[in-house]
């Protein structure tokens, strides 16, 4: 298996799962998809839009996004490629807010400048700005872009097929328009970087006859070929001594993660079905048909995996895109919370319809169930979000036992937590490249060993807060799904969180208050159980959580050099 980045705070697989996944990928190897070369560029029959969903937040952020869109163009071959910003304003209590027109004017001016600089395609303008009006959301109690990112792409698909009733608005007096002959859409987050030739290679794979999608009329989903392809996603590693300790440790290359790292895994290698994580290319017609009528309004936050199940996503593990990794733990924790809420909000699509409350059965169309492997992926995400709470519960239970048993129990639980971080290190013990000197290999191995050790310590440091965070996300999701039916689209993007003020040590304690609360609980269990020696030893272990909390804050805050300016909001 190719070594890839992992967000190990979320991944934290158990020993058996990590070992089985690693053994399976070693045994079968990565499955490479056939592709057309397209050496002459992108022909008209494969015309593609590179679409970047974003929020109009500040003039500076818009300027950065315009610049990045130009970089995407320069990194791509000639031919029928169109680049579009799919933009919304931020959520607001009213339909129009102060500053809306100014932000839209900045975006329109930037797109016009790019069109003057680079010229049109055969189908018209090369760069597009497609901006949507706000609509009222009863569930959120405010005005926002309809269905956020999922709504942007859905309305783009309709616009590409001639719809005139979308929420896209006229910009500078020009009505929203896009070529109706577009076959593929490549959707990226605002912080995604495209290496050279990435677009051409993805289009070549989608266009190959063996990969073209075929829908089954009975189940209304893709059953052969693929309607969407997900490239490998790697984090942008800090250069030299840049970045915080947290960023340098957790943007390392190891493991499997369903969101931050799309890589060769058992699903692709064994079942020819990858996991779609929102950065990929899809066939407009097949994608729209496979998803039509499956999701009611205001009900789905994390839609990428769901879409990949019905559109039969594939993983193009030999093609890579790069995205930014958070430099701050508090920002990363917010996205974990959002991911977990989104995973649990998919619960109605995993359970039999007879187990759903009446309002859910009425809201969710009975349009053919997803394949078993797709439902298993969704359940596996739920299992993953339960890992940290389960680990804390196991530790608390173990600390109520006699001293010797408690120590053995604790060592076992800690081993299950850190082993996934150490498996890639074990695989690197022997050099795999010919001509590599022993000294160079040992130095690299020493560096990786030190990073793995720090990563394991930080995993244990953040464990209590991760358990609190996941429990909060799960409880919120279940209450909103089963009782209130409100705030199911609650969303704070990583970029919006990044531009907030950096937390000081007191701020970290307030933000991570759940971890000390669990520490107090653990301390109480230690005091009430076992003999005198065991009580004091367990108290010593528990009281160390306060010091670890302080180190966690420093690890996430301290940077070796000035951090780059925040990127615009990746998707709304």
């Amino acid at each position: 298996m190719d070594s890839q980045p992992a967000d190990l705070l979320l991944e934290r697989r158990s020993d058996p799962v990590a070992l089985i996944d690693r053994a399976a990928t070693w045994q079968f190897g990565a499955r490479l998809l056939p592709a057309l070369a397209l050496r002459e560029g992108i022909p008209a029959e494969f015309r593609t839009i590179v679409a970047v969903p974003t929020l109009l937040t500040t003039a500076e952020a818009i300027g950065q996004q315009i610049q990045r869109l130009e970089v995407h163009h320069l990194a791509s071959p000639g031919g029928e490629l169109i680049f579009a910003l799919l933009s919304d304003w931020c959520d607001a209590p009213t339909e129009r807010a102060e500053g809306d027109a100014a932000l839209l004017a900045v975006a329109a001016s930037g797109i016009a400048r790019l069109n003057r600089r680079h010229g049109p395609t055969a189908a018209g303008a090369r760069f597009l700005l497609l901006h949507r009006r706000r609509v009222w959301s009863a569930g959120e109690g405010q005005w926002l872009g309809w269905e956020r990112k999922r709504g942007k792409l859905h309305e783009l698909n309709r616009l590409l097929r001639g719809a005139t009733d979308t929420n896209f608005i006229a910009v500078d007096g020009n009505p929203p328009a896009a070529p109706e002959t577009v076959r593929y859409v490549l959707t990226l987050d605002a912080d995604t970087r495209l290496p050279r030739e990435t677009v051409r290679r993805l289009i070549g794979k989608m266009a190959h006859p063996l990969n073209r999608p075929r829908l089954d009329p009975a189940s209304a989903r893709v059953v052969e070929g693929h309607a969407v392809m997900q490239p490998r996603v790697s984090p942008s590693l800090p250069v030299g001594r840049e970045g915080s300790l947290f960023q340098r440790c957790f943007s390392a290359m190891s493991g499997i993660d369903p969101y931050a790292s799309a890589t060769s895994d058992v699903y692709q290698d064994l079942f020819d079905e990858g996991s779609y994580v929102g950065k990929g290319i899809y066939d407009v017609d097949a994608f729209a048909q496979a998803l039509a009528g499956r999701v009611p309004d205001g009900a789905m936050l994390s839609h990428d995996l769901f879409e990949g199940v019905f559109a039969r996503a594939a993983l193009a593990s030999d093609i890579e895109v790069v995205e930014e990794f958070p430099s701050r733990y508090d920002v990363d924790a917010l996205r974990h919370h959002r991911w977990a809420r989104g995973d649990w909000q998919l619960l109605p699509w995993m359970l039999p319809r007879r187990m759903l409350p009446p309002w859910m059965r009425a809201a969710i169309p009975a349009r053919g169930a997803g394949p078993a492997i797709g439902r298993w992926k969704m359940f596996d995400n739920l299992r993953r979000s339960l890992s940290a709470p389960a680990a804390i519960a196991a530790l608390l239970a173990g600390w109520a036992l006699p001293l010797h048993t408690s120590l053995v129990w604790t060592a076992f639980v800690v081993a299950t937590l850190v082993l996934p971080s150490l498996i890639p290190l074990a695989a690197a013990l022997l050099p795999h490249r010919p001509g590599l000197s022993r000294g160079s290999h040992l130095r690299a191995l020493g560096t990786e060993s030190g990073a793995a050790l720090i990563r394991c310590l930080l995993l244990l440091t953040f464990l209590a807060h991760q358990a609190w965070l996941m429990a909060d996300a799960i409880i919120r999701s279940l209450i909103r799904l089963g009782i209130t039916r409100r705030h199911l689209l609650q969303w704070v993007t990583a970029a919006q969180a990044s531009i907030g003020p950096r937390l000081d040590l007191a701020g970290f304690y307030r933000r991570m208050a759940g971890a000390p609360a669990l520490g107090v609980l653990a301390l109480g269990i230690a005091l009430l159980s076992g003999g005198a020696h065991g009580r004091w030893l367990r108290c010593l272990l528990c009281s160390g959580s306060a010091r670890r909390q302080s180190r966690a804050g420093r690890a996430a805050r301290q940077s070796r050099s000035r951090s780059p300016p925040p990127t615009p909001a990746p998707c709304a």
Side-chain angles (χ1 to χ4, degrees):
M1 181 183 70
D2 297 337
S3 60
Q4 295 303 321
D7 196 332
L8 294 173
L9 292 177
L10 181 67
E11 179 59 8
R12 198 178 288 115
R13 290 171 177 257
S14 61
D15 290 16
V17 176
L19 290 173
I20 290 172
D21 283 355
R22 177 68 64 163
T25 51
W26 274 341
Q27 175 69 29
F28 295 98
R31 174 176 295 198
L32 300 182
L33 300 167
L36 302 180
L38 301 181
R39 293 189 178 91
E40 303 300 321
I42 311 303
E45 63 176 312
F46 301 143
R47 182 173 289 123
T48 299
I49 282 187
V50 179
V52 182
T54 190
L55 285 175
L56 301 185
T57 53
T58 65
E60 180 184 6
I62 294 169
Q64 293 174 16
Q65 190 56 66
I66 295 294
Q67 182 181 23
R68 183 156 289 178
L69 198 67
E70 183 177 26
V71 172
H72 292 336
H73 164 65
L74 297 175
S76 305
E80 293 301 307
L81 280 179
I82 301 166
F83 300 84
L85 282 186
L86 307 182
S87 60
D88 285 334
W89 287 303
C90 293
D91 300 356
T94 58
E95 184 176 5
R96 300 301 295 267
E98 183 180 357
D100 283 354
L103 292 175
L104 184 58
V106 171
S109 174
I111 292 295
R113 184 171 62 251
L114 293 183
N115 279 318
R116 290 193 299 269
R117 184 178 299 167
H118 297 287
T121 69
R126 186 174 299 276
F127 296 91
L128 303 176
L129 174 62
L130 298 174
H131 183 78
R132 299 193 303 169
R133 63 171 62 88
R134 293 187 184 95
V135 298
W136 174 252
S137 171
E140 302 303 306
Q142 57 187 343
W143 295 79
L144 48 82
W146 178 72
E147 292 296 300
R148 302 200 184 278
K149 178 186 174 183
R150 187 180 74 85
K152 284 192 184 82
L153 295 174
H154 175 74
E155 295 201 282
L156 172 63
N157 296 340
R158 295 186 63 237
L159 184 68
L160 292 174
R161 293 302 176 257
T164 58
D165 58 345
T166 67
N167 287 303
F168 292 114
I169 63 175
V171 178
D172 287 341
N174 299 315
E180 296 183 16
T181 55
V182 169
R183 182 164 181 177
Y184 302 122
V185 171
L186 172 59
T187 177
L188 306 171
D189 286 347
D191 60 351
T192 306
R193 305 175 191 176
L194 282 179
R196 283 187 61 84
E197 304 297 322
T198 297
V199 178
R200 177 186 61 80
R201 296 177 64 199
L202 281 172
I203 296 172
K205 286 186 181 292
M206 283 295 294
H208 195 280
L210 295 179
N211 296 327
R212 293 178 184 176
R214 185 183 70 81
L215 279 87
D216 174 46
S219 61
R221 62 181 176 85
V222 178
V223 293
E224 290 183 7
H226 308 281
V228 60
M229 285 190 184
Q230 170 72 52
R232 191 173 76 239
V233 181
S234 300
S236 57
L237 302 179
V239 178
R241 299 172 68 83
E242 292 181 357
S244 66
L245 176 62
F246 171 78
Q247 186 179 30
R248 293 194 303 275
C249 285
F250 287 98
S251 62
M253 307 292 284
S254 60
I256 302 172
D257 184 278
Y259 290 102
S261 168
T263 182
S264 298
D265 59 11
V266 290
Y267 298 121
Q268 179 66 35
D269 298 337
L270 299 184
F271 304 103
D272 192 29
E273 293 189 28
S275 298
Y276 181 47
V277 300
K279 291 166 278 288
I281 186 170
Y282 64 83
D283 182 294
V284 173
D285 294 321
F287 188 84
Q289 292 175 40
L291 275 301
R294 293 195 183 274
V295 184
D297 289 356
M300 185 174 289
L301 181 63
S302 295
H303 50 91
D304 302 322
L305 178 61
F306 179 88
E307 292 166 345
V309 167
F310 288 95
R312 200 166 188 268
L315 178 65
S317 60
D318 55 334
I319 303 176
E320 181 182 40
V321 297
V322 179
E323 70 174 5
E324 294 183 5
F325 190 91
S327 62
R328 293 161 44 188
Y329 172 73
D330 60 307
V331 175
D332 191 57
L334 287 176
R335 71 174 186 166
H336 280 111
H337 191 272
R338 184 178 73 243
W339 287 345
R341 286 191 292 113
D343 289 337
W344 280 88
Q345 285 176 207
L346 293 177
L347 197 60
W349 285 271
M350 305 180 213
L351 300 175
R353 290 181 63 83
R354 65 178 181 276
M355 297 179 61
L356 301 179
W359 75 268
M360 281 189 186
R361 287 199 298 271
I364 299 175
R367 271 203 68 205
I373 189 65
R375 293 196 300 274
W376 169 252
K377 291 178 188 178
M378 297 179 193
F379 274 115
D380 193 43
N381 282 352
L382 303 192
R383 177 199 63 80
R384 186 176 295 108
S385 66
L386 289 167
S387 295
I392 287 294
L395 288 172
L396 293 179
W399 292 341
L401 299 173
L403 177 62
H404 176 73
T405 306
S406 176
L407 292 177
V408 173
W409 183 286
T410 300
F412 175 77
V413 173
V414 169
T416 65
L417 296 175
V418 302
L419 185 62
S421 300
L422 301 178
I423 290 178
L425 185 64
L429 288 176
L430 298 177
H432 299 287
R433 289 190 299 170
L436 185 66
S437 69
R438 179 177 299 178
S440 297
H441 175 67
L442 291 178
R443 283 192 297 271
L445 185 61
T447 301
E448 290 298 320
S449 300
L453 177 61
I454 296 174
R455 192 180 303 121
C456 292
L457 292 176
L458 287 178
L459 279 172
L460 298 176
T461 298
F462 294 135
L463 178 62
H465 182 250
Q466 283 288 302
W468 183 275
L469 195 72
M470 293 298 101
D472 179 85
I474 293 168
I475 293 171
R476 284 178 189 266
S477 298
L478 295 177
I479 291 175
R480 291 172 181 179
L481 274 175
I483 301 175
T484 67
R485 310 180 207 173
R486 294 179 60 84
H487 303 301
L488 293 173
L489 296 182
Q490 187 181 46
W491 182 286
V492 177
T493 67
Q496 287 176 298
S498 297
I499 63 178
R502 286 182 175 270
L503 300 177
D504 55 13
L505 185 58
F508 261 95
Y509 270 101
R510 288 191 297 270
R511 178 68 62 84
M512 301 171 67
L518 289 176
V520 171
L521 177 61
L523 196 61
I525 292 176
L527 288 171
L528 295 174
S529 61
H533 297 294
R535 282 200 301 270
W536 287 113
L537 180 58
R538 287 189 286 267
C539 286
L540 181 64
L541 292 173
C542 296
S543 63
S545 65
R547 294 192 300 272
R548 291 197 299 271
Q549 196 87 346
S550 175
R551 290 197 296 270
R554 288 196 297 270
R557 295 195 325 271
Q558 291 176 351
S559 177
R560 302 286 186 93
S561 65
R562 172 177 282 184
S563 299
T567 58
C571 51

